[in-house]
Structures are given as structure tokens and as C-alpha cells.
Amino acid sequence: SYPRSGQHPGGSNPNLRVPRNPMDVKALGHAGLHGWREKAADRVARRAPVADDVARAALGFFFFAVSLRYVLKTLRDVARELRA
């Protein structure tokens, strides 16, 4: 189940297989857009020099990364307080 006959996505490694239905990266990015983030992404995407859905996906990943960073920092701070 390679993308095209004779091509291997891993370069010279024919054992590396690509799933038949890879996750839609844009859908993952869009999943991070809710509430005010979605409204902000809509406004920015219209002005971006790329397709709207690509800009929205990139902004969704950005918002997700910022949120994840905040949660990880909070957990780290809690762990430090518990050790002290």
C-alpha cells in the first residue's frame, strides 16, 4: 500500500509503510479552533497569503501548542511545589 507503484516513502527502505488512510493534518489543526480562537483564525485566514484552510490549520496547531505549553508548565510547577 505505497503511495505509487515502485515508490517507497522511506527512501530506500521498502519496509516502511504508509497507512492507507493517513490522518488529515488540516482536520487536526482545525480541531484546535473553538470559540474566540476560531473567530480569530477566520479573520487572519482571510488575509493570509495561503489557502484559508491551510492558514486555519496552522493557527489551530499554534493555539494547541500554546495551550499544551501552558498545561505542561503548570504541571511542572505543581510537581516542584509537591517536592518542596
Side-chain angles (χ1 to χ4, degrees):
S1 66
Y2 294 112
R4 292 190 184 133
S5 176
Q7 289 186 341
H8 302 294
S12 62
N13 185 356
N15 295 322
L16 181 63
R17 298 219 177 254
V18 174
R20 289 181 185 229
N21 296 323
M23 275 195 272
D24 183 9
V25 176
K26 289 179 190 174
L28 288 175
H30 291 169
L33 299 175
H34 296 282
W36 69 267
R37 292 177 182 98
E38 185 174 15
K39 291 176 186 174
D42 287 341
R43 289 185 190 138
V44 172
R46 281 186 250 140
R47 297 183 181 123
V50 294
D52 284 6
D53 60 335
V54 173
R56 286 173 46 87
L59 289 166
F61 278 118
F62 172 76
F63 287 132
F64 175 76
V66 169
S67 298
L68 181 63
R69 181 175 177 235
Y70 175 77
V71 168
L72 292 176
K73 181 183 178 305
T74 301
L75 291 174
R76 185 188 69 202
D77 292 346
V78 168
R80 281 185 185 164
E81 284 295 318
L82 291 176
R83 280 186 257 144

